[in-house]
């Protein structure tokens, strides 16, 4: 997959759509895996497929192939084998979106994923890009909330991160040491945590089942 050229019509479509998204301006994008059956009940491929962050136009084709090829990583193939999932039942899709210049990011669960008796939302957050939460390499800030009698914060625990991930100059990401205030303080404010919880509960209601949602907050406080 990595050494093969893309079909010309696919390569043309990728670049035409990127150019429409960029609208003539320099644009760094994230390429994310989205395989069929990835989040089916009884199956979770979290962390097994590749994501390529801070990708420029000249690297689009190679980054696309990296994500597609990650379907055949050892962990992903072993997981499919153990779950009885045939190779042809798992098509790999690649989502492409503009990079968010994240001040902080992470994952919110609409209800506690490790305690079935707790229906309160739970937030994991880190300064910088949420990569540190998703791949588990950084101890995240943890904020627990309760939805009764009204939505409110129950607890806040700082992960005391010594590093954060930020977009590198040009392409890719790099690790950077955090400042003492970044390491000690929670990386999001209470109002941000409450807004994330409100969004997660709306998504849970819409899909009629618990949700885990990746999110990012930019320097202006806008949530994505």
């Amino acid at each position: 997959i990595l050494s093969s050229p893309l079909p010309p019509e696919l390569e043309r479509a990728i670049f035409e759509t990127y150019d429409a998204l960029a609208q003539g301006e320099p644009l760094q994008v994230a390429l994310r895996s989205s395989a069929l059956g990835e989040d089916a009940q009884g199956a979770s491929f979290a962390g097994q497929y590749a994501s390529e962050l801070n990708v420029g136009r000249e690297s689009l084709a190679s980054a696309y192939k990296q994500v597609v090829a990650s379907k055949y990583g050892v962990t992903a193939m072993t997981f499919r084998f153990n779950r009885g999932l045939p190779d042809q039942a798992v098509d790999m899709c690649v989502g492409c979106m503009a990079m968010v210049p994240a001040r902080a990011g992470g994952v919110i669960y609409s209800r506690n994923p490790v305690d079935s008796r707790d229906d309160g939302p739970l937030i994991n957050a880190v300064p910088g890009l949420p990569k540190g939460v998703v791949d588990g390499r950084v101890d995240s800030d943890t904020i627990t909330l309760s939805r009764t009698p009204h939505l409110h914060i129950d607890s806040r625990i700082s992960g005391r991160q010594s590093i954060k991930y930020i977009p590198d100059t040009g392409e890719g990401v790099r690790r950077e040491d955090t400042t003492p205030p970044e390491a000690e303080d929670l990386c999001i404010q209470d109002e941000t945590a409450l807004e994330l919880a409100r969004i997660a509960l709306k998504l849970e209601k819409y899909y009629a089942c618990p949700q885990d949602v990746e999110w990012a907050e930019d320097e202006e406080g806008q949530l994505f």
Side-chain angles (χ1 to χ4, degrees):
I1 292 172
L2 295 178
S3 61
S4 298
L6 291 178
E9 64 276 13
L10 174 60
E11 186 169 23
R12 183 166 57 250
I14 288 174
F15 283 102
E16 286 177 353
T17 310
Y18 170 88
D19 291 338
L21 183 66
Q23 296 184 333
E25 299 292 331
L27 179 68
Q28 302 297 103
V29 294
L31 273 67
R32 306 294 308 275
S33 63
S34 183
L36 291 182
E38 186 171 355
D39 294 311
Q41 191 161 356
S44 174
F45 287 83
Q48 296 183 17
Y49 297 139
S51 289
E52 298 293 325
L53 303 180
N54 200 32
V55 177
R57 190 182 192 279
E58 61 278 8
S59 299
L60 267 181
S62 60
Y64 172 85
K65 289 192 287 185
Q66 288 284 350
V67 177
V68 172
S70 69
K71 174 185 171 180
Y72 298 102
V74 172
T75 54
M77 293 177 69
T78 302
F79 185 87
R80 289 198 298 272
F81 179 81
N82 289 332
R83 290 295 191 279
L85 297 171
D87 181 77
Q88 60 269 28
V90 183
D91 289 342
M92 177 62 80
C93 309
V94 181
C96 177
M97 62 198 79
M99 282 286 293
V100 175
R103 188 192 68 79
V107 176
I108 177 167
Y109 303 89
S110 64
R111 57 182 64 203
N112 194 321
V114 296
D115 186 352
S116 60
R117 298 165 298 176
D118 181 5
D119 68 354
L122 185 148
I123 299 171
N124 293 136
V126 293
L129 297 172
K131 171 180 170 64
V133 171
V134 177
D135 65 17
R137 295 182 183 180
V138 176
D139 290 332
S140 60
D141 296 344
T142 302
I143 302 171
T144 59
L145 301 96
S146 176
R147 60 174 88 192
T148 57
H150 58 84
L151 189 63
H152 65 276
I153 294 174
D154 278 336
S155 68
R156 311 164 184 83
I157 301 173
S158 171
R160 300 176 183 272
Q161 301 90 6
S162 60
I163 64 165
K164 62 181 178 180
Y165 290 94
I166 62 172
D168 203 353
T169 304
E171 292 196 357
V173 300
R174 63 183 172 89
R175 288 173 27 162
E176 185 176 89
D177 292 338
T178 57
T179 63
E182 284 179 318
E184 295 295 327
D185 299 339
L186 293 177
C187 61
I188 60 171
Q189 301 294 317
D190 284 358
E191 52 265 34
T192 301
L194 289 167
E195 179 60 19
L196 284 169
R198 283 189 284 267
I199 293 169
L201 294 180
K202 285 182 180 179
L203 291 169
E204 178 184 277
K205 182 178 180 180
Y206 180 83
Y207 287 106
C209 63
Q211 299 294 305
D212 66 283
V213 186
E214 293 181 35
W215 59 270
E217 180 187 28
D218 69 12
E219 292 289 351
E220 284 69 49
Q222 183 176 0
L223 288 173
F224 296 82

